[in-house]
Amino acid sequence: EAGAFERIIVTTDRRLQLADLTRAADLVVEASTAAQRTYLDGSETHIYTDSTFTVHEVVKNRWRPGLREGASIVVRRESGTVLIDGVPATTIENDFPPFTAASRYILFLKEIPDEKAYVVVGAGRGAFTTGSVIAPMASATEGASQPASREAFFGELRALLKFTQ
């Protein structure tokens, strides 16, 4: 009644290589976010955060042929903090930090059926920070990709796209 509730889910994931991410993704983009909305689902049992991203480059696009640079997409994560009766309730994805405003990411995304949103493939293993070096957001995950130069990362990604489409 006046206590706390904690739900912990422990799973062991299979190692995901860049080839696995590329093959599984419906959409691969370089994008940045400026807006987020955190909410409870209809059953009030799950906390979600929808992040609106601006697309800077489309690398792979399986289902949305009209998607271009400058378009907006929504990425949904099962994480965030909401207030319930004035008390904060938080869901986190271990080893997958929140997206930060004005940062750029490479995202390997899977479309959520019947919704206008995507989820990151392989949880945090399908999200990379960008700059002169491309680094996985989930760097502590066993089997996570190692940081690579932008040229090397995109070179490998483009080579993989030739064989996975």
Side-chain angles (χ1 to χ4, degrees):
E1 202 173 287
F5 171 77
E6 187 171 306
R7 177 177 57 176
I8 299 173
I9 300 170
V10 178
T11 62
T12 303
D13 291 328
R14 175 177 79 78
R15 281 181 77 157
L16 287 178
Q17 302 295 327
L18 190 57
D20 299 316
L21 296 171
T22 304
R23 189 178 312 105
D26 294 328
L27 183 66
V28 180
V29 294
E30 183 171 3
S32 59
T33 185
Q36 296 186 108
R37 179 178 74 91
T38 302
Y39 59 95
L40 279 171
D41 69 350
S43 65
E44 297 185 352
T45 56
H46 294 85
I47 299 170
Y48 292 101
T49 297
D50 285 354
S51 299
T52 302
F53 280 84
T54 300
V55 174
H56 301 290
E57 181 179 353
V58 177
V59 180
K60 177 183 178 181
N61 184 355
R62 188 174 287 165
W63 306 119
R64 291 188 52 197
L67 186 69
R68 303 272 187 260
E69 181 181 330
S72 292
I73 59 171
V74 173
V75 176
R76 181 165 297 151
R77 294 183 56 184
E78 190 170 350
S79 64
T81 300
V82 296
L83 290 177
I84 300 174
D85 297 328
V87 178
T90 301
T91 299
I92 60 169
E93 294 175 90
N94 285 344
D95 199 36
F96 188 9
F99 295 120
T100 57
S103 294
R104 285 174 81 125
Y105 301 94
I106 304 289
L107 301 171
F108 291 77
L109 303 169
K110 193 83 174 156
E111 188 173 22
I112 301 171
D114 302 322
E115 296 194 33
K116 295 181 179 182
Y118 295 88
V119 293
V120 177
V121 173
R125 293 174 295 163
F128 297 78
T129 58
T130 67
S132 59
V133 171
I134 308 292
M137 288 184 71
S139 59
T141 302
E142 182 182 334
S145 300
Q146 298 300 311
S149 72
R150 187 173 181 84
E151 183 178 305
F153 183 90
F154 275 103
E156 182 178 352
L157 180 56
R158 291 193 199 305
L160 288 166
L161 285 170
K162 290 181 182 180
F163 299 104
T164 60
Q165 291 195 24

